[in-house]
Amino acid sequence: MRARNIIIGGLVLLLASCGQRYEAKQLVKAFVKEHATEEIDISSFSDLDSTKVISDSLLQEMRQRALKDTLFKDVELGSIPLSTTLLYIRMRYGADSLNQSRTFYFDKDLTSIIAFK
């Protein structure tokens, strides 16, 4: 009985994780469609992951650099969350997708992109 509960719990977590990854991918795709200065052929996405090691100053620096990124125009980023946990996903694009990528950071509820690099 206990093993069955553990398996069911694991499956629930797996399905929730897949749903979050899908949400993150959709946010990035919409962002790219709205703000890209050129045609971007997205080749892949990494798994969605979380981090607690992004300091406020690093987050502010990423946001300032994002505003100057020539790949995107008229960038609008979400507000910085109070939570120290951020979610992130890496988008690879173009023919040489090993060297062409952007990492997008979200609040833990995936309501908006708050920074990218």
Side-chain angles (χ1 to χ4, degrees):
M1 185 67 148
R2 182 179 172 148
R4 188 180 92 187
N5 289 341
I6 291 172
I7 291 171
I8 290 172
L11 288 173
V12 167
L13 287 174
L14 178 64
L15 291 174
S17 174
C18 290
Q20 282 187 312
R21 182 174 187 256
Y22 177 79
E23 274 185 68
K25 286 170 53 175
Q26 294 307 106
L27 279 170
V28 171
K29 286 178 181 179
F31 180 88
V32 167
K33 184 177 181 179
E34 184 175 344
H35 300 289
T37 58
E38 61 187 62
E39 184 74 26
I40 296 178
D41 181 25
I42 299 172
S43 58
S44 66
F45 285 96
S46 67
D47 288 335
L48 183 66
D49 207 346
S50 64
T51 183
K52 291 185 178 185
V53 297
I54 304 291
S55 66
D56 287 341
S57 60
L58 182 56
L59 192 55
Q60 288 294 346
E61 184 178 327
M62 279 194 292
R63 289 168 64 92
Q64 289 302 312
R65 286 185 182 177
L67 296 175
K68 297 174 186 172
D69 189 329
T70 59
L71 188 60
F72 300 107
K73 65 180 183 322
D74 303 326
V75 173
E76 299 169 18
L77 298 171
S79 58
I80 297 174
L82 297 175
S83 169
T84 59
T85 300
L86 300 177
L87 299 177
Y88 67 93
I89 195 167
R90 177 172 293 214
M91 171 192 80
R92 291 182 177 82
Y93 63 95
D96 187 16
S97 61
L98 291 178
N99 293 324
Q100 297 185 69
S101 67
R102 293 293 188 280
T103 302
F104 293 86
Y105 294 86
F106 313 89
D107 57 72
K108 67 179 182 167
D109 298 322
L110 287 171
T111 57
S112 64
I113 295 171
I114 59 166
F116 65 89
K117 64 176 183 174

